[in-house]
Amino acid sequence: MRYISTRGAAPVLGFGDVLLAGLARDGGLYLPEAWPQLSPAEIRALRGLPYPEIATRILTPFLGGEIDHATFARIVEESYATFRHPATCPIVQTGPDEFVLELFHGPTLAFKDVAMQLLARLIDHVLAERGQRATIVGATSGDTGGAAIEAFAGRDRADLFVLFPHGKVSAVQRLQMTSSLAANVHALAIEGNFDDCQSIVKAMFNDHGFRDRVGLSGVNSINWARIMAQIVYYFSSALSLGAPDRPVSFTVPTGNFGDIFAGYAAKKMGLPIERLVIATNDNDILARTLETGRYETRPVIATTSPSMDIQISSNFERLLFEAAGRSAEATVSAMQGLKQSGAFTIPERTLAAIRAEFSAGRSSMEETAATIAGTLADCDYLADPHTATALAVARREATGSAPMIVLSTAHPAKFPDAVEAAAGMRPNLPSWLAGLMEREEKYTVLPSDEKMVEDHISSRARTAA
Ligand SMILES: Cc1ncc(COP(=O)(O)O)c(C=O)c1O
Ligand SMILES: N[C@@H](CCOP(=O)(O)O)C(=O)O
């Protein structure tokens, strides 16, 4: 298996190199040269297997033979041993044809753990094999950062720097990032919003001198391995509802488009998926794009689902590349428009290809709050605001015949204020996280300035020359 960049001008890489590269050197995102295929019989053979076994079988083709089977199976097993539910990612029925896929049973209570636990172990493995160290960066609107800090803490081949928007994450999210005692992890509070953090991260990757000097690697979903790991739960949940003999649909609370792109990848690999529904909060750039064909950024609105307060949805680039017939030229032209004017228009044929696979809808903060309250009253199920955004959209968009699986991306206790305001009940952190709110915090506040962040990292990264 080889990987190509959406912008067509970066080296074609194997798995280990893609894992460490993060962003391609031409500014694009890596994708497999071809989608591995699973026949209906091969999918059927996964039924009833434990999650780590399903993951090992589905992900092996992406490794291109670079990690031997026993080692990879052990890494996957160890990754999901950190989850506190025997099914790893269970599904719960909340309506006649509505199911919630709970992705929050990992160490930091968000779906990011599913990929991050695996990513950290894979990076560690590849660095050890090569005798290298890495400086790892990540931008976060709250969840990626905590999951990365938890997964990389104490790993002696990597220094991790997480950029989060100062004052714009929940208290639980902040403490998960700022209270680690590990010397190799660093929380940086950036005076800006998530898009500012993400654009600094991308700028650091595009500064090749800095990138090479510190051995830069990334944990955001710009890193192909993040998407790869997220493909698995589309299969595991669909299998438990009868796949491949019964198609299913998914609704995904969406920000950076990584999670739902993993669903698209699962479909390309042969999983029968009827619809992929993009659910946005008031930051509805993706819903507007599907309606109008124009991707147009607006100022970010702070909502009760802060992890989705995003305008620059990184992985939409991967979809554009695919929908434009894998045209690097079309992708580059769209991305230039975005850089120059904050907008681009999607050509008709590309838009039609996107609309053939995806629907989209938005849920306002009021509708999301009402959905939290209504789902508790009707189904005795307490959803976090991100999950509730998707439930609200799913209930409006579910016109097809297939069962709808709604991705639950965070535990309600990560957002206790919003949940309490909506449902009148304050969710508690699980006992193993009790005491989090009293822990001592350690973080550095920095202006939204690439050079200052680079200098800060250079002076602390142990890989820097
Ligand atoms: C809780 C939660 N839900 C949904 C999302 C959106 O996922 P994606 O960025 O992959 O679209 C995020 C952040 O990424 C998140 O943290
Ligand atoms: N919502 C995310 C934003 C970053 O997304 P990623 O999937 O690209 O890492 C977060 O919680 O940090």
Side-chain angles (χ1 to χ4, degrees), residues 78-422:
E78 284 172 11
S79 302
Y80 297 117
T82 63
F83 277 58
R84 285 177 161 82
H85 194 288
T88 311
C89 302
I91 58 170
V92 176
Q93 186 157 11
T94 46
D97 256 332
E98 183 187 276
F99 299 82
V100 171
L101 169 57
E102 292 185 340
L103 301 170
F104 55 69
H105 293 283
T108 67
L109 309 181
F111 81 104
K112 308 289 179 172
D113 292 320
V114 179
M116 208 63 80
Q117 287 294 318
L118 183 60
L119 184 79
R121 287 172 173 80
L122 286 172
I123 288 182
D124 218 27
H125 170 79
V126 172
L127 289 174
E129 284 225 310
R130 297 179 177 191
Q132 289 176 1
R133 296 186 44 80
T135 300
I136 299 178
V137 288
T140 185
S141 51
D143 290 325
T144 293
I149 283 176
E150 171 72 29
F152 282 93
R155 296 190 185 272
D156 61 5
R157 291 190 171 273
D159 292 309
L160 172 70
F161 296 85
V162 162
L163 283 64
F164 70 92
H166 193 24
K168 297 188 176 72
V169 299
S170 82
V172 174
Q173 288 177 316
R174 194 189 69 244
L175 273 135
Q176 284 179 329
M177 293 186 275
T178 58
S179 66
S180 173
L181 298 175
N184 69 321
V185 301
H186 308 266
L188 309 181
I190 302 296
E191 289 166 328
N193 57 34
F194 168 74
D195 289 317
D196 298 323
C197 298
Q198 180 160 247
S199 89
I200 293 173
V201 163
K202 287 184 179 169
M204 289 193 286
F205 274 103
N206 289 327
D207 178 348
H208 291 178
F210 173 76
R211 176 181 182 151
D212 295 338
R213 204 164 52 250
V214 301
L216 203 64
S217 201
V219 287
N220 282 110
S221 56
I222 52 175
N223 188 323
W224 164 253
R226 278 276 315 278
I227 308 286
M228 178 190 92
Q230 292 172 202
I231 294 171
V232 177
Y233 47 70
Y234 286 90
F235 276 93
S236 67
S237 57
L239 278 160
S240 50
L241 294 183
D245 301 306
R246 181 161 76 143
V248 293
S249 291
F250 290 94
T251 302
V252 185
T254 298
N256 234 355
F257 209 79
D259 208 4
I260 197 159
F261 189 80
Y264 169 86
K267 187 170 182 180
K268 291 305 252 185
M269 292 170 71
L271 184 67
I273 297 178
E274 192 175 279
R275 294 302 288 166
L276 286 163
V277 184
I278 302 163
T280 74
N281 63 21
D282 292 295
N283 297 289
D284 61 353
I285 183 161
L286 293 167
R288 283 186 284 113
T289 302
L290 260 76
E291 275 159 24
T292 64
R294 189 153 169 82
Y295 187 103
E296 203 162 33
T297 53
R298 289 182 184 165
V300 179
I301 301 165
T303 73
T304 47
S305 46
S307 302
M308 288 153 62
D309 292 349
I310 295 176
Q311 288 291 314
I312 312 281
S313 186
S314 287
N315 288 285
F316 198 67
E317 174 166 348
R318 284 189 164 111
L319 179 63
L320 274 181
F321 177 72
E322 286 275 303
R326 295 203 145 202
S327 162
E329 206 185 334
T331 311
V332 168
S333 148
M335 291 305 126
Q336 274 169 353
L338 184 61
K339 194 168 177 194
Q340 280 155 15
S341 61
F344 59 86
T345 300
I346 303 175
E348 256 326 303
R349 277 179 60 178
T350 306
L351 184 61
I354 293 174
R355 285 179 176 154
E357 308 281 358
F358 294 88
S359 312
R362 66 183 69 68
S363 170
S364 66
M365 280 195 271
E366 295 70 31
E367 196 182 352
T368 296
T371 304
I372 295 175
T375 308
L376 181 63
D378 300 341
C379 323
D380 196 23
Y381 189 84
L382 190 60
D384 100 289
H386 304 77
T387 309
T389 300
L391 281 166
V393 171
R395 288 170 188 168
R396 240 183 298 120
E397 298 288 327
T399 48
S401 52
M404 178 60 80
I405 301 176
V406 174
L407 272 58
S408 176
T409 48
H411 190 291
K414 280 198 104 162
F415 306 95
D417 296 341
V419 172
E420 186 175 23

